[in-house]
């Protein structure tokens, strides 16, 4: 796990250091807004804020980057170019430059964000569909083993896809129990593994609490049991340095509309360790995975390597958005993004401790920075109404069942003063109890 920062065990007291962010705190963290402004003045990533579109309302604070990242201006310009020139004028001739993009952009993600050498990452389909492809391919590679392991707090689509695969194959889906706030327990996982297990699939950062799993350690536990390991990187790609090759991971999937800022419905990516990319067979036998595609041959003959994991025509507009988003993160540097993510979330937790506990809030994310991704979750019995009231005062976070408020700063754009302002608005509405006037029922639209 990448330790970019250290501070004494006694929370909030002593000195607090983030690489790239210097000595953030001496003695007790100050609570006044001038301290946040001081942190912003020294922020080495501050210049990236102007590279993104801003909401029309300048007072709006966006803390939902872990759901949908903001729009990079370079992406807006690049999409206009792809649509207006490459498609508008180039027409079908542009496929010459488009056709290699899924692999090219995959390599870019691999090099800068997820620690994967070339030829192992492909931009393709959605996370859900990629999970289906990779999980089936992995199970076929472990004949004789008929158990899939995941955890009961994994993201719903992961649990559903694995449930479907288990049912279709007549396999067992072994669901381990995970603490909603603390994340997957290595001991519980190890106890669930035996010689029947073919595949373990877990999220690297938990969608609800932000708990960060130890990829290297868990992958080793899974390999010791003879199973393959598949990681969901949706909440860690672009926010936490990931070392897929070095950790020995077999397979991974992840989305691009969160920290990669590629926009709604942008295609996902998949990773297959090089040696497996030549050995595994994925279940969707599409023509984009076919050797000598335009020979239009009579039967499926997969192209060797990572491109075999594509299926149909790639979504080019979305793929260039992934490329631009990744280029921006690469320019900022994943270590600095991680350092700022820790600094923002630690600061948020400190303010929540000081201001919100008295109103019934409790931290529902790991307190140790090395165990947390880039968002913070707060428990409150009325979290749903509070999340809606918070939006009405200009702070966009989100709600997660059963009673959690999720606040996800965007390391590349969020300022420390945004965190201060958001928590200040939150404490005011908690103190006024204005949220109690809102309807209690949960809208299914959000
Ligand atoms: C951890 C995780 N996995 C999977 C998904 C869903 O992926 P998609 O809807 O892009 O297929 C999400 C969406 O938020 C997620 O957070």
């Amino acid at each position: 796990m990448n330790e970019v920062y250290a501070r004494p065990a006694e929370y909030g007291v002593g000195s607090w250091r983030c690489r790239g962010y210097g000595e953030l705190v001496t003695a007790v963290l100050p609570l006044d807004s001038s301290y946040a402004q001081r942190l912003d003045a020294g922020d080495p990533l501050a210049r990236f804020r102007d590279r993104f579109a801003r909401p029309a309302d300048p007072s709006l604070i966006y803390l939902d980057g872990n759901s949908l990242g903001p729009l990079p201006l370079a992406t807006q310009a690049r999409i206009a170019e792809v649509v207006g020139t490459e498609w508008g004028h180039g027409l079908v001739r542009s496929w010459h430059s488009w056709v290699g993009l899924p692999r090219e952009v995959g390599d870019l993600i691999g090099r800068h964000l997820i620690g994967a050498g070339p030829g192992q990452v492909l931009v393709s389909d959605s996370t859900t569909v990629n999970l289906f492809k990779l999980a089936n391919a992995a199970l076929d590679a472990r004949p004789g083993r008929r158990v899939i392991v995941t955890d009961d707090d994994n993201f719903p689509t992961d649990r559903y896809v694995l449930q479907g695969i288990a049912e279709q194959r007549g396999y067992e889906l072994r669901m381990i129990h995970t603490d909603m706030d603390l994340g997957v327990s290595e001991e519980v996982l190890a106890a669930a593994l035996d010689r029947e297990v073919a595949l373990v699939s877990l999220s690297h950062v938990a969608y609800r609490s932000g708990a960060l799993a130890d990829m290297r350690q868990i992958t080793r536990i899974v390999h010791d049991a003879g199973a393959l390991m598949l990681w969901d990187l949706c909440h860690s790609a672009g926010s936490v340095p990931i070392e897929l090759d070095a950790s020995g991971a077999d397979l991974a999937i992840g989305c691009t509309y969160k920290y990669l800022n590629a926009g709604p419905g942008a295609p996902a990516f998949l990773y297959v360790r090089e040696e497996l990319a030549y050995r595994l067979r994925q279940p969707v036998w599409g023509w984009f995975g076919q050797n000598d595609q335009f020979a239009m041959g009579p039967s499926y003959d997969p192209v060797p390597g990572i491109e075999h994991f594509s299926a149909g025509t790639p979504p080019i507009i979305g793929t260039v958005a992934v490329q631009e988003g990744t280029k921006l993160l690469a320019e900022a540097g994943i270590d600095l993004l991680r350092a700022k993510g820790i600094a923002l979330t630690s600061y948020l937790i400190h303010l929540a401790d000081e201001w919100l506990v008295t109103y019934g809030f409790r931290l529902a994310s790991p307190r140790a920075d090395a165990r947390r991704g880039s968002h913070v979750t707060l428990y409150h019995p009325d979290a749903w109404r509070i999340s809606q009231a918070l939006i009405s005062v200009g702070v966009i976070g989100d709600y997660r069942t059963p009673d959690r408020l999720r606040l996800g700063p965007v390391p590349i754009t969020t300022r420390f003063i945004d965190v201060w302002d958001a928590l200040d608005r939150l404490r005011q509405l908690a103190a006024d109890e204005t949220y109690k006037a809102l309807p209690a029922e949960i809208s299914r639209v959000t």
Side-chain angles (χ1 to χ4, degrees):
M1 202 171 292
N2 195 311
E3 295 274 1
V4 291
Y5 135 113
R7 74 173 177 203
E10 199 180 345
Y11 180 72
V13 179
S15 74
W16 195 55
R17 180 183 286 281
C18 269
R19 196 196 306 155
Y21 286 81
E23 193 89 4
L24 289 184
V25 179
T26 46
V28 179
L29 254 171
L31 293 172
D32 59 297
S33 62
S34 65
Y35 179 66
Q37 283 161 341
R38 204 144 51 81
L39 292 178
D40 285 327
D43 178 3
L45 293 179
R47 65 196 168 91
F48 284 94
R49 194 172 154 76
D50 289 337
R51 312 267 296 268
F52 286 80
R54 295 263 179 84
D57 173 2
S59 69
L60 189 81
I61 298 172
Y62 192 62
L63 297 181
D64 208 2
N66 55 321
S67 188
L68 178 69
L71 167 64
L73 297 175
T75 303
Q76 202 167 14
R78 178 80 189 285
I79 287 179
E81 168 74 14
V82 169
V83 172
T85 307
E86 297 181 20
W87 175 20
H89 300 302
L91 293 163
V92 77
R93 292 169 293 185
S94 294
W95 269 111
H96 290 296
S97 58
W98 292 338
V99 76
L101 275 176
R103 182 170 170 160
E104 198 183 307
V105 180
D107 282 349
L108 194 71
I109 296 171
R111 179 160 72 252
H112 294 288
L113 303 180
I114 60 173
Q120 302 177 103
V121 183
L122 193 74
V123 172
S124 122
D125 300 311
S126 64
T127 309
T128 303
V129 171
N130 287 334
L131 177 59
F132 180 81
K133 293 189 298 189
L134 297 196
N136 271 299
L139 295 172
D140 287 342
R142 283 286 181 278
R145 292 178 172 235
R146 302 167 64 85
V147 176
I148 306 168
V149 173
T150 191
D151 74 288
D152 58 4
D153 199 43
N154 203 352
F155 190 78
T157 210
D158 299 55
R159 290 184 280 109
Y160 304 157
V161 166
L162 296 173
Q163 195 182 357
I165 291 173
E167 196 169 306
Q168 286 146 22
R169 289 175 170 255
Y171 282 19
E172 176 192 344
L173 179 61
R174 196 171 288 168
M175 201 70 93
I176 60 170
H177 176 62
T178 286
D179 182 287
M180 205 185 272
D181 299 345
L182 300 179
V184 171
S185 149
E186 288 147 30
E187 293 71 36
V188 172
L189 173 64
L193 300 180
D194 57 30
R195 299 177 68 79
E196 290 293 299
V197 177
L199 175 69
V200 176
S201 182
L202 299 170
S203 286
H204 188 208
V205 167
Y207 79 98
R208 197 191 329 256
S209 68
L212 172 62
D214 187 334
M215 177 177 282
R216 204 178 280 253
Q217 171 77 353
I218 289 179
T219 300
R220 192 159 45 78
I221 292 170
V222 169
H223 284 172
D224 286 348
L228 291 168
M229 182 68 217
L230 193 166
W231 287 102
D232 181 334
L233 308 178
C234 280
H235 282 271
S236 57
S239 71
V240 174
I242 299 167
E243 294 294 341
L244 283 174
D245 287 353
S247 69
D250 301 297
L251 305 157
I253 51 172
C255 71
T256 62
Y257 45 74
K258 302 182 192 295
Y259 296 101
L260 272 65
N261 305 314
F269 63 87
L270 57 83
Y271 164 89
V272 183
R273 183 154 54 78
E274 188 173 22
E275 167 253 333
L276 291 175
Y278 286 88
R279 225 164 22 93
L280 299 191
R281 175 68 70 95
Q282 67 113 336
V284 185
W285 294 12
W287 71 316
F288 268 74
Q290 168 78 348
N291 220 347
D292 196 5
Q293 178 184 6
F294 285 95
M296 307 292 190
S299 55
Y300 188 61
D301 170 25
V303 64
I306 194 70
E307 273 148 348
H308 153 59
F309 291 86
S310 58
T313 307
I316 295 304
I317 296 166
T319 305
V320 300
V322 180
Q323 188 173 30
E324 292 303 325
T326 306
K327 277 162 60 182
L328 259 184
L329 297 187
E331 191 186 328
I334 190 65
D335 285 341
L336 207 47
L337 289 164
R338 171 63 171 154
K340 187 172 172 194
I342 290 175
L344 287 164
T345 51
S346 299
Y347 184 51
L348 195 160
I349 290 171
H350 177 70
L351 296 179
D353 282 348
E354 294 292 326
W355 291 346
L356 297 177
V357 170
T358 181
Y359 301 116
F361 288 87
R362 165 177 73 69
L363 181 64
S365 295
R367 190 172 283 278
D369 302 316
R371 300 285 296 169
R372 194 177 64 240
S374 249
H375 71 264
V376 174
T377 302
L378 301 173
Y379 157 83
H380 190 283
D382 231 338
W384 161 251
R385 289 198 290 194
I386 288 173
S387 69
Q388 298 309 293
L390 197 57
I391 292 171
S392 73
V393 297
V395 179
I396 301 181
D398 66 13
Y399 164 83
R400 282 294 172 263
T401 55
D403 40 28
R404 302 292 199 268
L405 177 66
R406 248 186 3 173
L407 300 172
V410 184
I412 200 163
T413 58
T414 303
R415 300 170 303 184
F416 290 87
I417 193 66
D418 297 328
V419 170
W420 190 93
D421 262 337
L423 273 277
D424 186 46
R425 291 182 209 179
L426 182 52
R427 82 166 148 166
Q428 281 174 37
L429 73 86
D432 297 347
E433 297 191 336
T434 42
Y435 64 88
K436 290 196 170 162
L438 294 172
E441 68 271 17
I442 295 169
S443 155
R444 295 292 163 198
V445 182
T446 53

